[in-house]
Amino acid sequence: MSAASRTRGYIVWTADEEDALRKGVAKHGLGSWEVIRKDPEFSVLENRSGVQLKDKWRNLVKFRHISLEESKTFKPKTSGPWSRKYSASGATRERSVSHTPSNSKLSNKESDEEPAAA
């Protein structure tokens, strides 16, 4: 068995697949990759994994095929563990910081220091 037959080949995304991904995100929201993949309306994506959909979306945004502003207009996923990280305004929630003695000493020390000159 040759090395080429043991490795997975890359299947180039078609324009139809990219279009279906955009429409799927508009319909189901960001993060609903498996729902999009299994939706009969987007059957062209059934041979892609949810991870491939996520990675393709990330690359579309990263390489400006979808503008950052446009990507912010898509709603986040509405169910599941990742949906809770978004507030009603669409911004991520701040994590609360526990105030342990080591954290409070650190914050007191930081507040006593002068800001660095620019």
Side-chain angles (χ1 to χ4, degrees):
M1 184 181 275
S2 70
S5 63
R6 286 182 283 178
T7 60
R8 288 183 257 178
Y10 177 76
I11 300 171
V12 177
W13 281 70
T14 65
D16 288 341
E17 287 175 316
E18 285 186 23
D19 189 49
L21 179 59
R22 283 185 173 97
K23 290 177 182 176
V25 170
K27 180 178 179 180
H28 295 290
L30 290 169
S32 299
W33 311 119
E34 285 297 320
V35 175
I36 294 168
R37 189 178 78 79
K38 293 177 182 176
D39 187 327
E41 185 178 342
F42 311 114
S43 62
V44 70
L45 298 173
E46 68 186 2
N47 294 326
R48 298 287 184 174
S49 70
V51 173
Q52 287 175 316
L53 300 185
K54 172 191 64 79
D55 289 344
K56 182 62 176 181
W57 183 262
R58 184 192 64 217
N59 287 328
L60 287 172
V61 172
K62 181 178 179 180
F63 295 110
R64 309 282 193 263
H65 297 284
I66 295 177
S67 70
L68 188 57
E69 291 75 30
E70 182 185 358
S71 72
K72 289 179 181 178
T73 64
F74 294 107
K75 63 182 180 179
K77 183 173 153 179
T78 57
S79 63
W82 294 106
S83 63
R84 290 187 297 251
K85 81 176 204 177
Y86 296 100
S87 67
S89 66
T92 57
R93 291 187 201 166
E94 295 292 325
R95 286 188 174 177
S96 60
V97 178
S98 64
H99 294 286
T100 60
S102 61
N103 282 348
S104 61
K105 286 179 186 175
L106 179 63
S107 61
N108 288 340
K109 190 179 214 179
E110 288 174 349
S111 63
D112 292 340
E113 294 176 1
E114 293 294 323

